[in-house]
Amino acid sequence: MIHSEKHFYTILSLLLSSAFIFVSMVGMNIILRADESRLLSEGGKVIMESPVWVREDAENNSEDMDEENSGKSTYIVTSKEMEEAIDKWNSRTGEIVHNPVTGQISMEEAIQTGELWLADMEMEESGEETDAYSVNATLGIPKQNELIEPLEPYYSFWTVRFTGSSMNAVLYINAVTGKVLGAEVCLYRNLPDKFPVEKLSLFVEWAGLQENDTEIVFNSDGTSAFLEIADSHLCAEMGFQRKQKGYFDLAHYEQGNLNADSDIYYNEYVVITYKLTVGESKMS
């Protein structure tokens, strides 16, 4: 009888000890989660906060969108908003990189748009010896001075870089409209004989804009062309420069650089730029 009572109390003690340990673990977990939430809310806001606003209507609409259309834009960007986005991008002092938000195109879509743009603008080589190139892309909003504040999604641009032995290109693609609104291209082979000014109208078309009923005009030395955009304060610009015996990689240019890679050091090359600007007309 005494042996049975001892056995009972031993089992009871073990059960009570196990219950105490379990309750202690649960309580500690609750305390740790509460501390974690407090620390994140107090000290993690600046780090975790997105530099881009996410509109509530777009966020709600994203719940009803199927997987196929999840990356499609849900915003309608007005011409005034686009002018503001272009102006802010042109005057940026830096960029703040971020992940895509609802209504912005993906990296894959930006790269695909860039490839189609290069092909349509006849920047790529054709034939059996087509140049192989590497591609990278970053998404960012313009930074001006030290002032950092969340911006609307249409202020973001994808910067897509194509690097190859015969061509270097940097394309600026609006993250909401998916349109190429600026480009810098350096050609090392198959150089155009003259200023391909007819491509300026094609650039305007690719930007989703319509040119005005005015002729293209040139600057005094014939290295830049300008075309007014209809129903806006925008002007499309195209630059064309033929360089001699230099090295140019769109990120660093230094005439006569002795340390330049011999594979991309050319006696002659061409730099073509496209951009949109906001302001008074340069046509006069």
Side-chain angles (χ1 to χ4, degrees), residues 41-56:
S41 62
E42 292 178 357
K45 276 186 177 180
V46 175
I47 298 175
M48 300 300 293
E49 187 178 10
S50 171
V52 177
W53 289 113
V54 179
R55 296 180 181 176
E56 292 184 2

Side-chain angles (χ1 to χ4, degrees), residues 106-268:
S106 65
M107 177 186 291
E108 291 76 14
E109 290 172 311
I111 292 175
Q112 183 180 30
T113 297
E115 291 173 337
L116 293 173
W117 188 91
L118 289 172
D120 203 24
M121 299 290 282
E122 298 180 341
M123 296 294 184
E124 293 182 322
E125 287 191 276
S126 59
E128 297 180 357
E129 298 182 356
T130 300
D131 182 30
Y133 50 78
S134 62
V135 185
N136 69 77
T138 56
L139 176 64
I141 61 170
K143 178 182 178 182
Q144 294 175 317
N145 301 323
E146 296 301 323
L147 181 62
I148 302 176
E149 58 181 9
L151 298 174
E152 292 285 352
Y154 56 80
Y155 283 98
S156 299
F157 280 77
W158 280 103
T159 300
V160 185
R161 293 179 172 85
F162 298 86
T163 304
S165 61
S166 65
M167 176 199 68
N168 282 345
V170 181
L171 273 56
Y172 304 107
I173 304 173
N174 186 266
V176 170
T177 65
K179 303 296 185 181
V180 179
L181 302 183
E184 302 160 5
V185 182
C186 185
L187 301 176
Y188 299 110
R189 291 202 294 263
N190 297 330
L191 307 183
D193 296 328
K194 59 180 181 179
F195 195 153
V197 68
E198 67 278 358
K199 299 294 179 62
L200 182 55
S201 295
L202 187 56
F203 166 68
V204 171
E205 182 180 339
W206 262 94
L209 303 169
Q210 185 176 354
E211 60 186 88
N212 213 341
D213 294 329
T214 55
E215 295 183 355
I216 295 175
V217 298
F218 295 86
N219 63 349
S220 58
D221 59 4
T223 59
S224 296
F226 306 92
L227 185 59
E228 284 187 343
I229 304 303
D231 303 321
S232 75
H233 297 94
L234 293 173
C235 178
E237 299 184 15
M238 179 180 179
F240 180 83
Q241 288 186 308
R242 191 178 297 274
K243 302 285 187 176
Q244 300 288 336
K245 294 183 180 180
Y247 176 76
F248 186 81
D249 66 355
L250 294 180
H252 171 73
Y253 169 62
E254 187 173 1
Q255 187 73 25
N257 185 2
L258 298 179
N259 297 320
D261 189 338
S262 60
D263 292 335
I264 50 177
Y265 191 84
Y266 294 89
N267 290 329
E268 185 179 34

Side-chain angles (χ1 to χ4, degrees), residues 42-72:
E42 292 178 357
K45 276 186 177 180
V46 175
I47 298 175
M48 300 300 293
E49 187 178 10
S50 171
V52 177
W53 289 113
V54 179
R55 296 180 181 176
E56 292 184 2
D57 55 345
E59 198 170 62
N60 294 333
N61 290 339
S62 65
E63 298 177 359
D64 301 327
M65 298 173 69
D66 55 32
E67 185 176 349
E68 180 181 355
N69 296 318
S70 60
K72 303 289 182 62

Side-chain angles (χ1 to χ4, degrees), residues 27-42:
M28 183 60 67
N29 190 41
I30 293 174
I31 293 173
L32 289 174
R33 286 182 178 274
D35 287 341
E36 181 182 11
S37 298
R38 179 180 58 81
L39 289 173
L40 286 175
S41 62
E42 292 178 357

Side-chain angles (χ1 to χ4, degrees), residues 68-96:
E68 180 181 355
N69 296 318
S70 60
K72 303 289 182 62
S73 172
T74 58
Y75 300 134
I76 297 177
V77 183
T78 66
S79 58
K80 182 179 179 181
E81 289 173 337
M82 188 49 56
E83 289 176 11
E84 293 173 351
I86 291 171
D87 191 44
K88 188 174 286 289
W89 182 259
N90 289 344
S91 59
R92 69 191 184 282
T93 58
E95 297 175 36
I96 302 174

